[in-house]
Coordinates of all heavy atoms in Angstrom, one line a residue:
M1 N -109.1 78.3 175.8 CA -108.5 78.9 174.6 C -109.4 79.9 174.0 O -109.1 80.9 173.4 CB -108.3 77.7 173.6 CG -107.6 78.2 172.4 SD -105.8 78.1 172.5 CE -105.2 79.7 172.2
G2 N -110.8 79.7 174.1 CA -111.7 80.8 173.6 C -112.3 80.4 172.2 O -112.2 79.3 171.8
E3 N -112.8 81.5 171.6 CA -113.4 81.3 170.3 C -112.5 81.6 169.1 O -111.7 82.6 169.3 CB -114.7 82.1 170.3 CG -115.7 81.7 171.3 CD -116.8 82.8 171.5 OE1 -116.5 83.9 171.2 OE2 -117.9 82.4 171.9
C4 N -112.7 81.0 168.1 CA -112.0 81.3 166.8 C -112.3 82.8 166.4 O -113.4 83.2 166.4 CB -112.3 80.4 165.7 SG -111.7 80.9 164.1
Y5 N -111.3 83.5 166.1 CA -111.4 84.9 165.7 C -112.3 85.1 164.5 O -112.9 86.1 164.3 CB -110.0 85.5 165.5 CG -110.0 87.0 165.1 CD1 -110.0 88.0 166.1 CD2 -110.0 87.3 163.8 CE1 -110.0 89.3 165.8 CE2 -110.0 88.7 163.4 CZ -110.0 89.7 164.4 OH -110.0 90.9 164.0
F6 N -112.3 84.0 163.6 CA -113.0 84.2 162.4 C -114.3 83.6 162.3 O -115.2 84.2 161.7 CB -112.1 83.5 161.2 CG -110.7 84.2 161.1 CD1 -109.7 83.7 161.8 CD2 -110.6 85.4 160.4 CE1 -108.4 84.3 161.7 CE2 -109.4 86.0 160.3 CZ -108.3 85.5 161.0
C7 N -114.6 82.5 163.0 CA -115.9 81.9 162.9 C -116.6 81.7 164.2 O -117.7 81.3 164.3 CB -115.9 80.6 162.2 SG -114.9 79.3 163.1
L8 N -115.9 82.0 165.3 CA -116.5 81.9 166.7 C -116.8 80.5 167.2 O -117.4 80.4 168.1 CB -117.8 82.8 166.8 CG -117.6 84.3 166.5 CD1 -118.9 85.1 166.8 CD2 -116.4 84.9 167.3
S9 N -116.3 79.6 166.4 CA -116.4 78.2 167.0 C -115.2 78.0 167.9 O -114.3 78.9 168.1 CB -116.3 77.1 165.8 OG -115.1 77.1 165.2
K10 N -115.1 76.8 168.6 CA -114.1 76.6 169.6 C -112.7 76.7 169.0 O -112.4 76.0 168.0 CB -114.3 75.2 170.2 CG -113.6 75.0 171.5 CD -114.1 73.7 172.1 CE -113.4 73.4 173.4 NZ -111.9 73.5 173.3
A11 N -111.8 77.5 169.5 CA -110.5 77.7 169.0 C -109.6 76.5 169.5 O -109.7 76.1 170.7 CB -109.9 79.0 169.4
S12 N -108.7 76.0 168.7 CA -107.9 74.9 169.1 C -106.5 75.4 169.4 O -105.7 74.7 170.2 CB -107.9 73.8 168.0 OG -107.5 74.4 166.8
H13 N -106.1 76.5 168.8 CA -104.7 77.0 169.1 C -104.8 78.5 168.7 O -105.7 79.0 168.2 CB -103.7 76.2 168.3 CG -104.0 76.2 166.9 ND1 -104.9 75.4 166.3 CD2 -103.4 76.9 165.8 CE1 -104.9 75.5 165.0 NE2 -104.0 76.4 164.7
S14 N -103.6 79.1 168.9 CA -103.5 80.5 168.5 C -102.5 80.7 167.3 O -101.5 79.9 167.2 CB -103.2 81.4 169.7 OG -102.0 80.9 170.3
C15 N -102.8 81.6 166.5 CA -101.9 81.9 165.3 C -100.6 82.3 165.9 O -100.4 83.1 166.8 CB -102.5 83.1 164.5 SG -101.4 83.7 163.3
R16 N -99.6 81.6 165.3 CA -98.2 81.9 165.8 C -97.6 83.2 165.4 O -96.6 83.7 165.9 CB -97.4 80.7 165.4 CG -96.4 80.8 164.3 CD -95.7 79.5 164.1 NE -95.9 79.1 162.7 CZ -95.2 79.7 161.7 NH1 -94.4 80.7 162.0 NH2 -95.4 79.3 160.5
L17 N -98.3 83.9 164.4 CA -97.8 85.3 164.0 C -98.6 86.4 164.7 O -98.0 87.3 165.2 CB -97.9 85.4 162.5 CG -96.9 84.6 161.7 CD1 -97.1 84.7 160.2 CD2 -95.5 85.0 162.0
C18 N -99.9 86.3 164.7 CA -100.7 87.4 165.3 C -101.2 87.1 166.7 O -101.6 87.9 167.4 CB -101.8 87.9 164.4 SG -103.1 86.7 164.2
G19 N -101.2 85.8 167.0 CA -101.6 85.4 168.4 C -103.1 85.3 168.6 O -103.6 85.0 169.7
R20 N -103.9 85.5 167.5 CA -105.4 85.4 167.6 C -105.8 83.9 167.8 O -105.1 83.1 167.1 CB -106.0 85.9 166.4 CG -106.0 87.5 166.3 CD -106.8 88.0 165.2 NE -106.2 87.8 163.9 CZ -106.1 88.8 162.9 NH1 -106.8 89.9 163.2 NH2 -105.5 88.5 161.9
P21 N -106.8 83.7 168.6 CA -107.3 82.2 168.8 C -107.9 81.8 167.4 O -108.7 82.6 166.9 CB -108.2 82.4 169.9 CG -108.7 83.8 170.0 CD -107.5 84.6 169.5
V22 N -107.6 80.6 167.0 CA -108.2 80.1 165.7 C -108.6 78.7 165.9 O -108.0 77.9 166.6 CB -107.2 80.3 164.5 CG1 -107.2 81.7 164.1 CG2 -105.8 79.9 164.9
C23 N -109.5 78.3 165.0 CA -109.9 76.8 164.9 C -109.0 76.1 163.9 O -108.2 76.9 163.3 CB -111.4 76.7 164.5 SG -111.7 77.3 162.8
D24 N -109.2 74.9 163.7 CA -108.4 74.1 162.8 C -108.6 74.7 161.3 O -107.6 74.8 160.5 CB -108.6 72.7 162.8 CG -108.0 72.1 164.1 OD1 -107.1 72.6 164.6 OD2 -108.5 70.9 164.4
T25 N -109.9 75.0 161.0 CA -110.2 75.5 159.6 C -109.4 76.9 159.4 O -108.9 77.0 158.3 CB -111.7 75.7 159.5 OG1 -112.3 74.5 159.9 CG2 -112.0 76.1 158.1
H26 N -109.5 77.7 160.3 CA -108.9 79.1 160.1 C -107.5 79.2 160.6 O -106.9 80.3 160.4 CB -109.8 80.1 160.7 CG -111.1 80.2 160.1 ND1 -112.3 79.7 160.7 CD2 -111.5 80.6 158.9 CE1 -113.4 79.8 159.9 NE2 -112.9 80.4 158.8
G27 N -107.0 78.2 161.2 CA -105.5 78.3 161.7 C -104.7 77.1 161.3 O -103.7 76.8 162.0
G28 N -105.0 76.4 160.2 CA -104.3 75.2 159.8 C -102.8 75.5 159.6 O -102.6 76.6 159.0
G29 N -101.9 74.8 160.1 CA -100.5 75.0 160.0 C -100.0 76.0 161.0 O -98.8 76.3 160.9
G30 N -100.8 76.4 161.9 CA -100.3 77.3 162.9 C -100.4 78.8 162.6 O -100.1 79.6 163.4
V31 N -100.8 79.1 161.4 CA -100.9 80.5 160.9 C -102.3 80.7 160.5 O -102.9 79.9 159.7 CB -100.0 80.8 159.8 CG1 -100.1 82.2 159.3 CG2 -98.5 80.5 160.2
C32 N -103.0 81.8 161.0 CA -104.3 82.1 160.6 C -104.5 82.5 159.2 O -103.5 82.8 158.5 CB -105.0 83.1 161.6 SG -104.4 84.8 161.2
V33 N -105.8 82.5 158.7 CA -106.1 82.8 157.3 C -105.6 84.2 157.0 O -105.2 84.4 155.8 CB -107.5 82.6 156.9 CG1 -107.8 81.1 156.8 CG2 -108.4 83.2 158.0
A34 N -105.8 85.1 157.9 CA -105.4 86.5 157.6 C -103.8 86.6 157.4 O -103.4 87.3 156.5 CB -105.9 87.5 158.7
C35 N -103.1 86.0 158.3 CA -101.7 86.0 158.2 C -101.1 85.3 157.0 O -100.1 85.6 156.5 CB -101.0 85.5 159.5 SG -101.3 86.7 160.9
R36 N -101.8 84.2 156.7 CA -101.3 83.4 155.5 C -101.3 84.2 154.2 O -100.5 84.0 153.4 CB -102.2 82.1 155.4 CG -101.5 80.9 155.1 CD -102.4 79.7 155.0 NE -103.1 79.4 156.3 CZ -104.2 78.7 156.3 NH1 -104.8 78.3 155.3 NH2 -104.8 78.5 157.5
E37 N -102.3 85.1 154.2 CA -102.4 86.0 152.9 C -101.1 87.0 152.9 O -100.7 87.4 151.8 CB -103.6 86.9 153.0 CG -104.9 86.1 153.1 CD -105.7 86.2 151.8 OE1 -106.0 87.3 151.5 OE2 -105.8 85.1 151.2
A38 N -100.5 87.2 154.1 CA -99.5 88.2 154.2 C -98.2 87.6 154.5 O -97.3 88.3 155.0 CB -99.9 89.3 155.2
I39 N -98.0 86.3 154.3 CA -96.9 85.7 154.8 C -95.8 85.6 153.7 O -96.1 85.7 152.5 CB -97.2 84.2 155.3 CG1 -96.2 83.8 156.3 CG2 -97.2 83.3 154.1 CD1 -96.6 82.7 157.2
C40 N -94.5 85.6 154.1 CA -93.4 85.6 153.1 C -93.5 84.4 152.3 O -93.7 83.2 152.8 CB -92.1 85.6 153.9 SG -90.7 85.4 152.9
A41 N -93.5 84.5 151.0 CA -93.5 83.4 150.1 C -92.2 82.7 149.9 O -92.1 81.6 149.3 CB -94.1 83.9 148.7
V42 N -91.2 83.3 150.4 CA -89.8 82.7 150.3 C -89.5 81.6 151.4 O -89.3 80.5 151.2 CB -88.8 83.8 150.3 CG1 -87.4 83.2 150.1 CG2 -89.0 84.8 149.2
C43 N -89.7 82.2 152.7 CA -89.4 81.3 153.8 C -90.7 80.7 154.4 O -90.7 79.6 155.1 CB -88.6 82.0 154.8 SG -89.5 83.3 155.7
G44 N -91.9 81.3 154.2 CA -93.1 80.9 154.7 C -93.2 80.9 156.2 O -94.1 80.3 156.8
R45 N -92.4 81.8 156.8 CA -92.4 81.8 158.3 C -92.8 83.2 158.8 O -93.4 83.3 159.8 CB -91.0 81.5 158.8 CG -90.6 80.0 158.7 CD -89.4 79.7 159.5 NE -88.3 80.7 159.4 CZ -87.4 80.6 158.5 NH1 -87.3 79.5 157.7 NH2 -86.5 81.5 158.4
E46 N -92.3 84.3 158.2 CA -92.5 85.6 158.7 C -93.5 86.3 157.9 O -93.8 86.1 156.7 CB -91.1 86.4 158.6 CG -90.0 85.6 159.2 CD -90.1 85.5 160.8 OE1 -90.8 86.4 161.4 OE2 -89.6 84.6 161.4
L47 N -94.1 87.5 158.5 CA -94.9 88.3 157.8 C -94.2 89.1 156.6 O -93.1 89.6 156.9 CB -95.6 89.3 158.7 CG -96.7 88.8 159.5 CD1 -97.2 89.9 160.5 CD2 -97.8 88.4 158.7
A48 N -94.7 89.1 155.5 CA -94.1 89.8 154.4 C -94.2 91.3 154.6 O -95.1 91.8 155.1 CB -94.7 89.4 153.1
V49 N -93.2 92.0 154.0 CA -93.2 93.4 154.2 C -93.2 94.1 152.8 O -93.6 95.3 152.6 CB -91.9 94.0 154.9 CG1 -91.9 93.6 156.3 CG2 -90.6 93.4 154.2
S50 N -92.9 93.3 151.7 CA -92.9 93.9 150.4 C -92.7 92.8 149.3 O -92.7 91.6 149.7 CB -91.7 94.8 150.3 OG -91.6 95.6 149.1
Y51 N -92.7 93.2 148.1 CA -92.6 92.3 147.0 C -91.2 92.3 146.4 O -90.5 93.3 146.4 CB -93.6 92.6 145.9 CG -95.0 92.5 146.2 CD1 -95.7 93.6 146.7 CD2 -95.7 91.3 146.0 CE1 -97.1 93.4 147.0 CE2 -97.0 91.1 146.3 CZ -97.7 92.2 146.8 OH -99.1 92.0 147.1
C52 N -90.8 91.1 145.9 CA -89.5 91.0 145.2 C -89.7 91.7 143.8 O -90.7 91.4 143.1 CB -89.2 89.5 145.0 SG -87.7 89.3 143.9
S53 N -88.8 92.5 143.5 CA -88.9 93.2 142.2 C -88.5 92.2 141.0 O -88.7 92.6 139.9 CB -87.8 94.3 142.1 OG -88.1 95.2 143.2
G54 N -88.0 91.1 141.3 CA -87.6 90.1 140.3 C -88.8 89.1 140.0 O -89.3 89.1 138.9
C55 N -89.2 88.4 141.0 CA -90.2 87.3 140.7 C -91.6 87.8 141.2 O -92.6 87.1 141.0 CB -89.8 86.1 141.4 SG -89.7 86.2 143.2
G56 N -91.7 88.9 141.9 CA -93.0 89.4 142.4 C -93.5 88.7 143.6 O -94.7 89.0 144.0
R57 N -92.8 87.9 144.2 CA -93.3 87.1 145.4 C -93.2 88.1 146.6 O -92.4 88.9 146.7 CB -92.5 85.9 145.7 CG -92.7 84.8 144.7 CD -92.0 83.5 145.2 NE -90.5 83.7 145.3 CZ -89.7 82.8 145.8 NH1 -90.2 81.6 146.2 NH2 -88.4 83.0 145.8
L58 N -94.1 87.8 147.6 CA -94.0 88.5 148.8 C -92.8 88.0 149.6 O -92.5 86.8 149.7 CB -95.3 88.2 149.7 CG -96.6 88.9 149.4 CD1 -97.7 88.3 150.0 CD2 -96.5 90.4 149.8
G59 N -92.1 88.9 150.3 CA -91.0 88.6 151.1 C -91.0 89.3 152.4 O -91.5 90.4 152.6
C60 N -90.3 88.7 153.4 CA -90.1 89.3 154.7 C -88.8 90.1 154.8 O -88.0 90.0 153.9 CB -90.2 88.2 155.8 SG -88.8 87.1 155.8
V61 N -88.5 90.6 155.9 CA -87.4 91.4 156.1 C -86.0 90.5 156.0 O -85.0 91.0 155.7 CB -87.3 92.2 157.4 CG1 -88.3 93.4 157.4 CG2 -87.6 91.3 158.6
D62 N -86.2 89.2 156.3 CA -85.1 88.4 156.2 C -84.8 87.9 154.9 O -83.6 87.6 154.5 CB -85.3 87.1 157.1 CG -85.2 87.5 158.6 OD1 -84.4 88.3 159.0 OD2 -85.9 86.8 159.4
C63 N -85.8 87.9 154.0 CA -85.7 87.2 152.7 C -85.5 88.3 151.6 O -85.0 87.9 150.5 CB -86.8 86.3 152.3 SG -87.0 85.0 153.5
L64 N -85.9 89.5 151.8 CA -85.7 90.6 150.8 C -84.5 91.4 151.0 O -84.2 91.7 152.2 CB -87.0 91.5 150.7 CG -88.3 90.9 150.1 CD1 -89.3 92.0 150.2 CD2 -88.1 90.4 148.7
V65 N -83.8 91.7 150.0 CA -82.6 92.5 150.1 C -82.8 93.8 149.4 O -83.2 93.7 148.2 CB -81.3 91.8 149.6 CG1 -80.2 92.7 149.5 CG2 -81.1 90.6 150.5
Q66 N -82.6 94.8 150.0 CA -82.7 96.2 149.3 C -81.5 96.3 148.3 O -80.4 96.4 148.7 CB -82.6 97.3 150.3 CG -83.0 98.7 149.8 CD -84.5 98.9 149.7 OE1 -85.2 98.5 150.6 NE2 -85.0 99.4 148.6
Y67 N -81.9 96.3 147.1 CA -80.8 96.3 146.0 C -80.4 97.7 145.7 O -79.2 98.1 145.6 CB -81.3 95.5 144.8 CG -80.3 95.6 143.7 CD1 -79.0 94.9 143.8 CD2 -80.6 96.2 142.5 CE1 -78.1 95.0 142.8 CE2 -79.7 96.3 141.4 CZ -78.5 95.6 141.6 OH -77.6 95.7 140.6
D68 N -81.4 98.6 145.4 CA -81.2 100.0 145.2 C -82.4 100.7 145.8 O -83.3 100.1 146.4 CB -80.9 100.3 143.7 CG -82.1 100.0 142.8 OD1 -83.2 100.0 143.3 OD2 -81.9 99.7 141.7
P69 N -82.5 102.0 145.7 CA -83.5 102.8 146.4 C -85.0 102.3 146.1 O -85.9 102.5 146.9 CB -83.3 104.2 146.1 CG -81.9 104.3 145.8 CD -81.5 103.0 145.2
V70 N -85.1 101.7 144.9 CA -86.5 101.3 144.5 C -86.7 99.8 144.4 O -87.9 99.4 144.3 CB -86.9 102.0 143.2 CG1 -87.1 103.5 143.4 CG2 -86.0 101.7 142.1
R71 N -85.6 99.1 144.4 CA -85.8 97.6 144.1 C -85.3 96.7 145.2 O -84.3 97.1 145.8 CB -85.0 97.3 142.8 CG -85.7 97.7 141.5 CD -84.9 97.2 140.3 NE -83.5 97.8 140.3 CZ -82.6 97.4 139.4 NH1 -82.8 96.5 138.6 NH2 -81.5 98.0 139.5
R72 N -86.2 95.7 145.4 CA -85.7 94.7 146.5 C -85.8 93.3 145.8 O -86.7 93.1 145.0 CB -86.7 94.7 147.6 CG -86.6 96.0 148.4 CD -87.8 96.1 149.3 NE -87.8 97.2 150.1 CZ -88.7 97.7 150.9 NH1 -89.9 97.1 150.9 NH2 -88.6 98.8 151.6
F73 N -84.9 92.5 146.1 CA -84.9 91.2 145.5 C -84.9 90.1 146.6 O -84.2 90.3 147.7 CB -83.7 91.0 144.6 CG -83.8 91.7 143.3 CD1 -83.1 93.0 143.2 CD2 -84.6 91.3 142.2 CE1 -83.1 93.7 142.1 CE2 -84.6 92.1 141.1 CZ -83.9 93.2 141.0
C74 N -85.5 88.9 146.3 CA -85.5 87.8 147.3 C -84.2 87.1 147.1 O -83.4 87.3 146.1 CB -86.7 86.9 147.1 SG -86.6 86.0 145.5
R75 N -83.9 86.2 148.1 CA -82.7 85.5 148.0 C -82.6 84.6 146.8 O -81.5 84.5 146.3 CB -82.7 84.5 149.3 CG -82.5 85.3 150.6 CD -82.4 84.3 151.7 NE -83.6 83.5 151.9 CZ -83.9 83.1 153.1 NH1 -83.2 83.3 154.2 NH2 -85.0 82.3 153.2
D76 N -83.7 84.1 146.4 CA -83.7 83.2 145.2 C -83.3 83.9 144.0 O -82.5 83.5 143.1 CB -85.0 82.5 145.0 CG -85.3 81.5 146.2 OD1 -84.4 81.3 146.9 OD2 -86.5 81.1 146.2
C77 N -83.8 85.2 143.8 CA -83.5 86.0 142.6 C -82.1 86.4 142.7 O -81.4 86.4 141.6 CB -84.4 87.2 142.5 SG -86.1 86.8 141.9
L78 N -81.6 86.7 143.9 CA -80.2 87.1 144.0 C -79.3 86.0 143.6 O -78.2 86.2 142.9 CB -79.9 87.6 145.4 CG -80.5 89.0 145.8 CD1 -80.4 89.2 147.2 CD2 -79.9 90.0 144.9
A79 N -79.7 84.8 144.0 CA -78.8 83.6 143.8 C -78.8 83.3 142.3 O -77.8 82.9 141.7 CB -79.4 82.4 144.5
R80 N -79.9 83.5 141.6 CA -80.1 83.2 140.2 C -79.3 84.2 139.4 O -78.6 83.9 138.4 CB -81.6 83.3 139.8 CG -82.2 82.0 139.7 CD -83.4 82.1 138.8 NE -84.4 83.1 139.2 CZ -85.3 82.8 140.1 NH1 -85.4 81.6 140.7 NH2 -86.2 83.8 140.5
G81 N -79.4 85.5 139.8 CA -78.8 86.6 139.0 C -77.5 87.1 139.7 O -77.3 88.3 139.6
A82 N -76.8 86.3 140.4 CA -75.7 86.7 141.1 C -74.7 87.5 140.3 O -74.0 88.5 140.8 CB -74.9 85.6 141.8
S83 N -74.5 87.2 139.0 CA -73.5 87.8 138.2 C -74.0 89.3 137.8 O -73.2 90.2 137.7 CB -73.2 87.0 136.9 OG -74.4 86.8 136.2
E84 N -75.3 89.5 137.7 CA -75.8 90.8 137.3 C -75.9 91.7 138.5 O -76.1 92.9 138.3 CB -76.9 90.6 136.4 CG -78.3 90.7 137.1 CD -79.4 90.4 136.1 OE1 -79.6 89.3 135.6 OE2 -80.2 91.3 135.9
F85 N -75.9 91.2 139.7 CA -76.0 92.0 140.9 C -74.6 92.2 141.4 O -73.7 91.5 141.1 CB -76.9 91.4 141.9 CG -78.3 91.2 141.5 CD1 -78.8 89.9 141.6 CD2 -79.0 92.3 140.8 CE1 -80.2 89.7 141.1 CE2 -80.3 92.0 140.4 CZ -80.9 90.8 140.5
K86 N -74.5 93.2 142.3 CA -73.2 93.4 143.0 C -73.4 93.1 144.4 O -73.9 93.9 145.2 CB -72.8 94.9 142.9 CG -72.5 95.4 141.5 CD -71.9 96.8 141.5 CE -72.6 97.7 140.5 NZ -73.9 98.1 140.8
P87 N -73.0 91.9 144.8 CA -73.3 91.4 146.2 C -72.7 92.3 147.3 O -73.2 92.4 148.4 CB -72.7 90.0 146.2 CG -72.6 89.6 144.8 CD -72.3 90.9 144.0
E88 N -71.6 92.9 147.0 CA -70.9 93.7 148.0 C -71.7 95.0 148.3 O -71.5 95.6 149.4 CB -69.4 94.1 147.6 CG -69.3 95.1 146.4 CD -69.3 94.3 145.1 OE1 -69.7 93.1 145.1 OE2 -69.0 94.9 144.1
A89 N -72.5 95.4 147.4 CA -73.4 96.6 147.6 C -74.7 96.3 148.3 O -75.4 97.2 148.7 CB -73.7 97.2 146.3
L90 N -74.9 95.0 148.6 CA -76.1 94.6 149.2 C -76.1 94.7 150.7 O -75.1 94.4 151.3 CB -76.6 93.2 148.8 CG -76.7 93.1 147.3 CD1 -77.1 91.6 146.9 CD2 -77.8 94.0 146.7
E91 N -77.2 95.0 151.3 CA -77.4 95.0 152.7 C -78.7 94.4 153.1 O -79.7 94.8 152.5 CB -77.3 96.5 153.1 CG -77.2 96.7 154.6 CD -77.1 98.2 154.9 OE1 -77.3 99.1 154.0 OE2 -76.8 98.5 156.1
P92 N -78.7 93.5 154.1 CA -80.0 93.0 154.5 C -81.0 94.0 154.8 O -80.7 95.0 155.5 CB -79.7 92.1 155.7 CG -78.3 91.8 155.5 CD -77.6 92.9 154.9
L93 N -82.2 93.9 154.3 CA -83.2 95.0 154.5 C -83.4 95.2 156.0 O -83.7 96.3 156.4 CB -84.6 94.4 153.9 CG -85.8 95.4 154.0 CD1 -85.4 96.7 153.3 CD2 -87.0 94.7 153.2
K94 N -83.3 94.2 156.8 CA -83.5 94.4 158.3 C -82.6 95.5 158.8 O -83.1 96.3 159.6 CB -83.2 93.0 158.9 CG -83.8 92.8 160.3 CD -83.3 91.5 160.8 CE -84.4 90.7 161.3 NZ -84.1 89.4 161.7
K95 N -81.3 95.5 158.4 CA -80.4 96.5 158.9 C -80.9 97.9 158.4 O -80.7 98.9 159.1 CB -79.0 96.2 158.3 CG -78.3 95.2 159.2 CD -76.9 95.1 158.8 CE -76.2 93.8 159.1 NZ -75.3 93.3 158.1
V96 N -81.3 97.9 157.1 CA -81.7 99.2 156.6 C -82.9 99.8 157.4 O -83.0 100.9 157.8 CB -82.2 99.0 155.0 CG1 -82.7 100.4 154.6 CG2 -80.9 98.5 154.3
V97 N -83.9 98.9 157.7 CA -85.1 99.2 158.4 C -84.6 99.8 159.8 O -85.1 100.8 160.3 CB -86.0 98.0 158.6 CG1 -87.1 98.3 159.5 CG2 -86.6 97.7 157.2
R98 N -83.7 99.0 160.4 CA -83.2 99.5 161.8 C -82.6 100.8 161.7 O -82.8 101.6 162.6 CB -82.2 98.5 162.2 CG -82.8 97.4 163.0 CD -81.9 96.8 164.0 NE -82.4 95.4 164.4 CZ -81.8 94.4 163.9 NH1 -80.7 94.4 163.2 NH2 -82.3 93.2 164.2
R99 N -81.9 101.1 160.7 CA -81.1 102.3 160.5 C -82.2 103.5 160.4 O -82.1 104.5 161.0 CB -80.2 102.3 159.4 CG -79.1 103.4 159.5 CD -78.1 103.2 158.4 NE -78.7 103.2 157.1 CZ -78.4 102.4 156.1 NH1 -77.5 101.5 156.3 NH2 -79.0 102.6 155.0
V100 N -83.2 103.2 159.5 CA -84.2 104.3 159.2 C -85.1 104.6 160.4 O -85.3 105.7 160.7 CB -85.0 103.8 157.9 CG1 -86.1 104.8 157.8 CG2 -84.2 103.8 156.8
F101 N -85.5 103.5 161.1 CA -86.5 103.6 162.2 C -85.8 103.7 163.6 O -86.4 104.0 164.6 CB -87.6 102.6 162.1 CG -88.3 102.7 160.8 CD1 -88.2 101.8 159.9 CD2 -89.3 103.7 160.7 CE1 -88.9 101.9 158.6 CE2 -90.0 103.9 159.5 CZ -89.8 102.9 158.5
G102 N -84.6 103.4 163.6 CA -83.8 103.5 164.8 C -84.2 102.5 165.9 O -84.2 102.8 167.1
S103 N -84.8 101.3 165.5 CA -85.2 100.4 166.5 C -84.2 99.2 166.7 O -83.5 98.9 165.8 CB -86.5 99.8 166.2 OG -86.5 99.1 164.9
Ligands
ZN201 ZN1 -112.7 79.3 162.7
ZN202 ZN1 -102.6 85.4 162.4
ZN203 ZN1 -89.0 85.2 154.6
ZN204 ZN1 -87.5 87.0 143.7

């Protein structure tokens, strides 16, 4: 397995997001300390890409929805404020990203 990317002690597994070898201290829960800082606070599974304009939490492409050109909201905020948003105008951020970058 090799050495932990962070402390160079024996690595026990690799980070499931970045793939770097990590020890239990630096890779607890399957995600390394670097990725944990940048992980989606909504689902806790994917790397975050931006902040929710409502609650300020980090969110990933699956959890944040582009509401208008400058604002993105997480699923929880959308659920809470469903009446003040227009759900039919929403589009998952993933699709927007695909359209813009053509991937
Ligand atoms: Zn380590
Ligand atoms: Zn990582
Ligand atoms: Zn997420
Ligand atoms: Zn939110």
Side-chain angles (χ1 to χ4, degrees):
M1 187 90 238
E3 297 162 338
C4 170
Y5 180 86
F6 299 95
C7 67
L8 301 184
S9 68
K10 197 175 178 308
S12 55
H13 55 283
S14 50
C15 169
R16 105 185 123 72
L17 287 174
C18 68
R20 286 189 282 225
V22 282
C23 67
D24 286 338
T25 308
H26 294 107
V31 180
C32 76
V33 284
C35 289
R36 221 177 297 158
E37 304 251 298
I39 208 160
C40 173
V42 182
C43 67
R45 291 193 313 266
E46 308 292 331
L47 280 178
V49 292
S50 189
Y51 291 93
C52 170
S53 303
C55 62
R57 289 189 299 177
L58 280 167
C60 69
V61 287
D62 286 327
C63 298
L64 287 179
V65 172
Q66 189 82 43
Y67 177 66
D68 62 25
V70 293
R71 287 182 299 171
R72 290 164 180 172
F73 291 100
C74 70
R75 293 187 292 211
D76 294 348
C77 284
L78 288 172
R80 262 201 303 276
S83 59
E84 92 188 63
F85 300 129
K86 298 186 221 74
E88 70 273 13
L90 300 177
E91 187 178 12
L93 183 57
K94 204 181 230 173
K95 277 191 208 145
V96 177
V97 170
R98 270 207 202 105
R99 199 174 57 222
V100 172
F101 297 105
S103 59

